Amino acid sequence: MSATTSLHAADQARRFSVAPMMEWTTRDQRAFARTLTKRALLYTEMVTTGAILHGTPRERFLGHDALEYPLALQLGGSDPAALAECAVIAESWGYQEVNLNVGCPSDRVQNNMIGACLMGHPELVARCVAAMQAVVTIPVTVKCRIGIDDQDEDEDLARFIDTVAAAGCTTFTVHARKAWLEGLSPKQNRDVPPLNYARVHRLKTAHPELHIGINGGLRSIDDCQRELDHVDSVMVGREAYQNPWLLAHVDRDIFGEATTPPTRHEAMRAFRPYLISRLESGVRLNHITRHLLGLFIGCRGGRRFRRYLSETAHRPDAGIDVFDQALTLIDDVDAARELPAHLPD
């Protein structure tokens, strides 16, 4: 795939993306997501520059399948030279965007000057972005918060965006919550700080020349469509993972494709060849099927499906027969193409 094609693919797909989530957006989860949406932009988990430059094998951190495209690599780091080297590697591995994490609030990344703490250092972020853009042709983007700790959500966010945009960054995805680095755990930082969508809307109004996306608290296609009246793109995290059936409606309802969403069973049948290939490469079944457990939420038999996989897929000899058997526990839902009605199991 050429650099020009990669650039176009990432830009077009960004209208709806699935957020990078540690231990969740693995290559297997992304392959599964592709059975439900062909258009959404998918992100890797955050990968640190140290893992890429010094970890072995590199396949462990960067490995993916072409079926996952359009696909972005999220990087964690704050050293411009290391980030630039990793961006070159990412492009050579076929990634179509490099995204810098300026939003993760965990103690571990703070101690290494990674993630949300960088919001207090916009000049450093600008140097990081400029260094990466100088050596790759794929988009270099930033995912950030509206602020950290006692920062002023208007003045400090405006300064951050202005500084990083001046270095050449034109695409920002903003988690519409502050990150409290003192006093809240990473888990609490996903829910406790209040959402402030209006601040992100004002950011877009102030910067019509920039691509401004929004992240945080989006639970439905309707939520996404409302936000797209104010910003350029939406990024959905936990809901897309825990209720993946939402993704089946993205191509039609967000991208305007003249297509009928697949059924859940159709998605599982489409995923089966990939699952077999991964089993043959030595991956344990439960490492793959853990990403599928939310698909049948709201369907009769969904609880049986989840229980069977949870109790069986971890066994050393668990193979494709376990997957096939789990599907037999679901009542026929091929006619149910709309979002789940949360029927009792």
Side-chain angles (χ1 to χ4, degrees):
M1 181 175 290
S2 70
T4 301
T5 303
S6 297
L7 177 63
H8 178 75
D11 286 342
Q12 292 296 314
R14 195 173 293 114
R15 182 170 173 83
F16 182 102
S17 62
V18 178
M21 293 174 282
M22 294 299 293
E23 299 184 0
W24 284 10
T25 49
T26 67
R27 65 187 299 176
D28 296 321
Q29 185 275 336
R30 300 190 304 263
F32 167 52
R34 276 289 169 246
T35 68
L36 299 167
T37 172
K38 304 302 181 188
R39 295 291 303 273
L41 179 62
L42 303 181
Y43 282 83
T44 67
E45 306 169 84
M46 181 188 71
V47 184
T48 65
T49 54
I52 293 174
L53 297 178
H54 308 298
T56 55
R58 194 166 278 170
E59 171 78 13
R60 173 185 171 192
F61 305 102
L62 296 177
H64 63 277
D65 290 87
L67 62 84
E68 299 168 40
Y69 296 150
L71 178 64
L73 174 70
Q74 187 181 67
L75 286 174
S78 58
D79 177 82
L83 284 164
E85 186 174 354
C86 288
V88 170
I89 294 168
E91 186 170 36
S92 72
W93 276 67
Y95 286 94
Q96 295 150 299
E97 174 187 312
V98 171
N99 177 266
L100 181 62
N101 185 317
V102 190
C104 181
S106 79
D107 294 338
R108 180 174 62 87
V109 298
Q110 286 182 58
N111 293 336
N112 291 289
M113 276 293 286
I114 299 172
C117 62
L118 288 173
M119 293 214 66
H121 305 275
E123 292 82 5
L124 175 57
V125 175
R127 292 198 299 273
C128 291
V129 166
M132 289 188 282
Q133 288 185 323
V135 293
V136 297
T137 59
I138 57 176
V140 175
T141 66
V142 168
K143 184 174 186 290
C144 63
R145 296 272 185 144
I146 58 175
I148 54 173
D149 298 329
D150 293 322
Q151 281 188 335
D152 183 279
E153 291 179 8
D154 285 305
E155 293 183 7
D156 287 300
L157 179 60
R159 176 172 173 260
F160 176 85
I161 297 295
D162 289 345
T163 301
V164 180
C169 184
T170 60
T171 301
F172 298 83
T173 300
V174 184
H175 187 155
R177 287 187 175 94
K178 270 192 172 185
W180 287 92
L181 305 182
E182 299 291 337
L184 291 182
S185 69
K187 182 177 186 299
Q188 290 173 318
N189 264 298
R190 293 194 291 267
D191 295 299
V192 174
L195 286 162
N196 188 350
Y197 291 156
R199 179 64 190 95
V200 185
H201 300 169
R202 293 197 302 275
L203 180 64
K204 176 58 189 175
T205 300
H207 289 282
E209 78 285 4
L210 299 178
H211 180 109
I212 303 296
I214 198 165
N215 170 234
L218 301 174
R219 300 290 302 277
S220 69
I221 294 294
D222 286 345
D223 288 347
C224 294
Q225 290 172 328
R226 281 192 294 270
E227 287 305 307
L228 287 170
D229 289 336
H230 304 282
V231 295
D232 298 301
S233 61
V234 292
M235 175 182 280
V236 181
R238 283 171 289 167
E239 189 67 19
Y241 186 89
Q242 295 168 344
N243 177 25
W245 184 236
L246 176 146
L247 297 176
H249 300 261
V250 165
D251 293 358
R252 182 191 66 188
D253 297 340
I254 300 296
F255 289 96
E257 292 277 358
T259 183
T260 301
T263 68
R264 295 170 177 85
H265 278 306
E266 287 170 346
M268 288 295 88
R269 288 194 289 270
F271 188 62
R272 192 175 185 275
Y274 172 88
L275 197 157
I276 291 173
S277 70
R278 291 286 280 164
L279 290 173
E280 290 175 346
S281 71
V283 178
R284 294 280 290 271
L285 181 66
N286 65 315
H287 292 171
I288 305 169
T289 57
R290 69 185 179 94
H291 302 298
L292 316 180
L293 297 180
L295 182 63
F296 292 102
I297 288 176
C299 298
R300 292 187 178 93
R303 187 174 299 167
R304 295 192 298 269
F305 171 84
R306 294 189 294 275
R307 182 187 303 121
Y308 182 77
L309 285 180
S310 297
E311 294 176 351
T312 310
H314 69 280
R315 297 174 182 171
D317 61 345
I320 192 63
D321 57 314
V322 170
F323 172 80
D324 292 339
Q325 178 61 30
L327 289 180
T328 69
L329 302 176
I330 301 293
D331 292 346
D332 186 5
V333 293
D334 275 359
R337 294 182 179 271
E338 296 308 315
L339 291 173
H342 299 290
L343 300 172
D345 286 344

